[in-house]
Amino acid sequence: MTTTETAAQSLSIGAVAERTGLSVHALRFYEREGLLVGPVRRTPGGRRRYTSVDVDWLLICVKLRESGMPLADLRHFAELVRRGPGNEAERLRLLDAHRQRVDAQIQALEECRTVIAWKVGVYAEHLADGEAGGLWDPTA
């Protein structure tokens, strides 16, 4: 691949921010924290240039962070990927532990939603019957 072809396939930090939903500041932070799986290339003028592989990886990182994965775990996962083949079992353990935490959070939220839906029903019923006065009234 020629330099011109590589340049045409690379993306600016602004384009990557737009595609990933991360701010330019967050992208720089991810790089500083070792959360990327490869080095970010630079133009002769020092500007960052990203590849589609970088974008794909960042989209995974966004979902892992949105789901509550700690930075330390994400950093460890990135390090395992950078090391290459041979540590897939450790990657699986890390991801499965995170999935279990997410599953527990989902279950807790579903329980919360059930209580909220019940309470909404109570208020809706009392309002429809014109009997809402005194519902959880601490002054009564």
Side-chain angles (χ1 to χ4, degrees), residues 25-112:
H25 176 75
L27 288 167
R28 290 181 185 125
F29 173 80
Y30 272 46
E31 183 181 354
R32 271 193 321 273
E33 291 297 312
L35 301 176
L36 301 175
V37 292
V40 175
R41 295 200 169 109
R42 305 248 181 180
T43 66
R47 295 189 181 274
R48 290 171 174 82
R49 299 304 295 180
Y50 296 85
T51 66
S52 60
V53 172
D54 295 325
V55 172
D56 291 344
W57 173 257
L58 286 163
L59 290 170
I60 292 168
C61 291
V62 166
K63 291 304 175 191
L64 291 173
R65 287 294 294 146
E66 283 179 356
S67 62
M69 180 178 271
L71 280 174
D73 287 354
L74 185 55
R75 190 177 300 111
H76 183 60
F77 185 52
E79 174 59 32
L80 291 171
V81 172
R82 276 193 299 274
R83 287 184 200 161
N87 59 29
E88 293 81 4
E90 189 174 355
R91 294 182 209 179
L92 174 60
R93 281 191 298 276
L94 190 145
L95 290 171
D96 191 49
H98 181 63
R99 182 189 53 80
Q100 289 176 30
R101 286 190 303 269
V102 169
D103 288 346
Q105 290 172 339
I106 290 169
Q107 182 178 349
L109 285 171
E110 286 174 347
E111 291 170 7
C112 292

